Amino acid sequence: MSTFTIFLVLIVIVAFLLVVVIMVQNPKGGGLSSSFGGGGTQQMGGVKKTTDFLDKSTWTLATVLLVLILLSNVAIMDGGATRESRIIDENTPTTLPETNTQNLPPATTTEGQESE
């Protein structure tokens, strides 16, 4: 497994956890939820601490996701020359073959007349 693949798997896992944490949170404020009669004063006991935990975990997961994305970019830049590209580079000739231009037909213009 390459380093980029490991970063990709970690990014997908963190993104999934971030979506789950965001979906679990109760909406705060007067968006659409207040117009449907919900969202009043329902914070009792441990609900406030749960909200704090979900808020902190959202920010933490978002930060971890950003760091993983930046590190995966560095991993892509470091692994630019893979094994396959080195093999291809070794098999390609270093000089291009010369072409014989004396046997080519004369070039024509767009109007169908020969150029001089």
Side-chain angles (χ1 to χ4, degrees):
M1 262 175 125
S2 68
T3 332
F4 178 70
T5 307
I6 294 170
F7 278 120
L8 189 62
V9 169
L10 289 175
I11 287 170
V12 168
I13 291 171
V14 170
F16 177 74
L17 289 174
L18 186 61
V19 167
V20 169
V21 167
I22 289 173
M23 294 300 288
V24 167
Q25 292 179 7
N26 286 329
K28 300 175 187 174
L32 286 176
S33 65
S34 66
S35 63
F36 293 116
T41 57
Q42 296 180 358
Q43 291 188 353
M44 301 171 56
V47 176
K48 179 67 177 160
K49 292 191 184 275
T50 304
T51 306
D52 288 343
F53 170 74
L54 291 174
D55 191 37
K56 288 179 183 177
S57 62
T58 301
W59 283 105
T60 303
L61 285 171
T63 305
V64 168
L65 184 66
L66 182 66
V67 168
L68 283 173
I69 290 171
L70 292 174
L71 287 176
S72 69
N73 191 18
V74 171
I76 289 173
M77 294 300 168
D78 288 343
T82 61
R83 186 174 147 238
E84 292 85 13
S85 66
R86 286 189 207 131
I87 292 172
I88 291 172
D89 290 341
E90 290 172 0
N91 292 336
T92 56
T94 56
T95 59
L96 295 174
E98 294 182 22
T99 57
N100 188 0
T101 58
Q102 294 175 353
N103 295 334
L104 294 176
T108 58
T109 61
T110 57
E111 299 171 1
Q113 299 175 349
E114 291 183 2
S115 63
E116 299 175 21

